[in-house]
Amino acid sequence: MIPMDDLSSKQFLFIVGAPRSGTTWLFEMLSEHPSVVSLKKELTLFSSYLAAPAKRFEDEVQRYEKHNWRQGLSLLYDRADFERGMRSIVNDVYSRVLDLKPQATHILDKHPGYAQHLLLMDRLVPNCRFIHIIRDGREVAVSMMRAKRTMNFGAGEVKGAATDWATHVRAAMQAGKKLGADRYHEVRYEDLMSGTTEHLEEIFRFAGLPVEHEQVNAIASENQASKKLVSRGDPSLKALRNVPGGIWKNKLALEERYLLDRYVGDLLCELGYAEQGWWALGPLDKLSMAMYPFRV
C-alpha cells in the first residue's frame, strides 16, 4: 500500500452532481487521462461512511456547549482530533486507490451524494477540486422516474425526483461559492454534450492536468454521447437527447410538468433552463390546470 505521506503531493478531484446528471459519463472521460487514477467504481466514502458520523459528532459538541451534554465521543475528542481520525480513514482509502497507478498525479472519485458534503470533503482533503455537472432538472426527473421503475433506483414520482435534483444542485452551488473558482468548477451537461472536446479541455485545465488537444479529442470521440449514454432506465430517451426539450416534452405528462414547476420552477428559471409558465405547452394546458390546486 502507498505510504500516506505520498498522498500529499497528489491532486484530488471529485465529480459531483445530482443523480442522472452525467456524473458517470464525465467520470469515465476524466479517468482516461494518463495522469489520473480512479477505481472506476463509486466508493461513496463521504456520503455513506463519513458524513453521518461527522454530523453526529458535531451535534454532540454543540449539545455539550449549550446544554452540558455528557455523552458520546465529544467527551474524549475535540473537533480537530475527531477530524484527524476521519482523515486517516480517507488517506488509507485513497492510498489503496493510488496503488492501482502509483505514478498518477491526480486521484479521482465521484458520487452524486458527494454534492451535499463538499465542505466536509474540503476539510478532510485540503486543496481538493470539485467539478459540478448540472443538467436540466426536468430531464433529470424523467430519468430518475424511469430508473425507479426499471432498476428500483431513485425517486419514482415527480416530487421526489424534483426535490432530489434541487437539493443536490443547491447544496453544491452554495458550497462552491465558499470554495471559490480555483476549487470549484461548474459545467452544464448540455454544453458537454454539444461541445465535448472544448469543455473537456476546460475541465482538464481547471484540474491542473496536461492538455493536449489531440489526446482530449480522442477521449471525447471515444466517449461520444451517441456511443456511451444509453439509459438503463429507459433506452428510448437516447433518441431524444439531441432534441432541445425533447425528453421532458415527450415524457412528462401535463400534471407532472405542472407539479415539477411548483416544486423546482424557481431553480429551473434561476439556472436559465426555463421561463415562467414553461410547463404549459399551449393555452389549453393552462386552462386544463386552472382548477387543479382546488381539486387537490
Side-chain angles (χ1 to χ4, degrees), residues 228-240:
K228 292 286 185 176
L229 297 181
V230 179
S231 175
R232 291 182 298 164
D234 184 352
S236 70
L237 301 182
K238 182 178 180 180
L240 299 171

Side-chain angles (χ1 to χ4, degrees), residues 63-228:
R63 288 172 182 169
Y64 179 80
E65 293 174 347
K66 294 179 180 179
H67 308 293
N68 199 27
W69 176 266
R70 295 188 177 278
Q71 181 177 320
L73 293 182
S74 60
L75 298 172
L76 297 174
Y77 295 84
D78 61 18
R79 288 185 178 93
D81 290 332
F82 190 78
E83 289 195 355
R84 191 177 301 114
M86 288 197 295
R87 195 173 293 117
S88 69
I89 296 173
V90 172
N91 289 342
D92 184 75
V93 168
Y94 289 115
S95 69
R96 293 169 186 263
V97 174
L98 189 58
D99 278 336
L100 301 174
K101 191 194 291 188
Q103 73 277 17
T105 60
H106 290 61
I107 299 173
L108 175 68
D109 191 13
K110 80 97 180 175
H111 185 247
Y114 289 176
Q116 301 185 56
H117 307 294
L118 268 63
L119 298 184
L120 170 65
M121 296 165 70
D122 176 55
R123 296 200 304 271
L124 300 180
V125 188
N127 301 315
C128 59
R129 296 178 186 176
F130 299 94
I131 302 146
H132 181 197
I133 183 167
I134 303 174
R135 185 183 182 187
D136 188 332
R138 298 167 294 189
E139 296 195 349
V140 170
V142 171
S143 186
M144 280 190 186
M145 291 189 289
R146 293 301 191 276
K148 179 65 175 180
R149 295 168 193 170
T150 59
M151 300 184 293
N152 196 30
F153 164 81
E157 33 70 41
V158 170
K159 182 178 181 179
T163 55
D164 198 17
W165 170 75
T167 298
H168 284 76
V169 171
R170 287 194 186 280
M173 290 177 65
Q174 289 169 4
K177 291 179 181 178
K178 297 180 180 179
L179 292 166
D182 60 330
R183 305 278 310 288
Y184 170 85
H185 177 80
E186 290 180 1
V187 61
R188 297 292 177 99
Y189 169 91
E190 296 79 14
D191 292 338
L192 196 58
M193 283 272 289
S194 61
T196 308
T197 298
E198 173 191 353
H199 290 284
L200 198 56
E201 286 183 343
E202 185 179 356
I203 291 169
F204 282 173
R205 282 191 288 269
F206 163 79
L209 288 164
V211 179
E212 296 181 10
H213 180 75
E214 291 184 0
Q215 180 187 66
V216 179
N217 192 53
I219 294 174
S221 298
E222 181 62 28
N223 290 274
Q224 287 180 16
S226 59
K227 297 179 181 179
K228 292 286 185 176

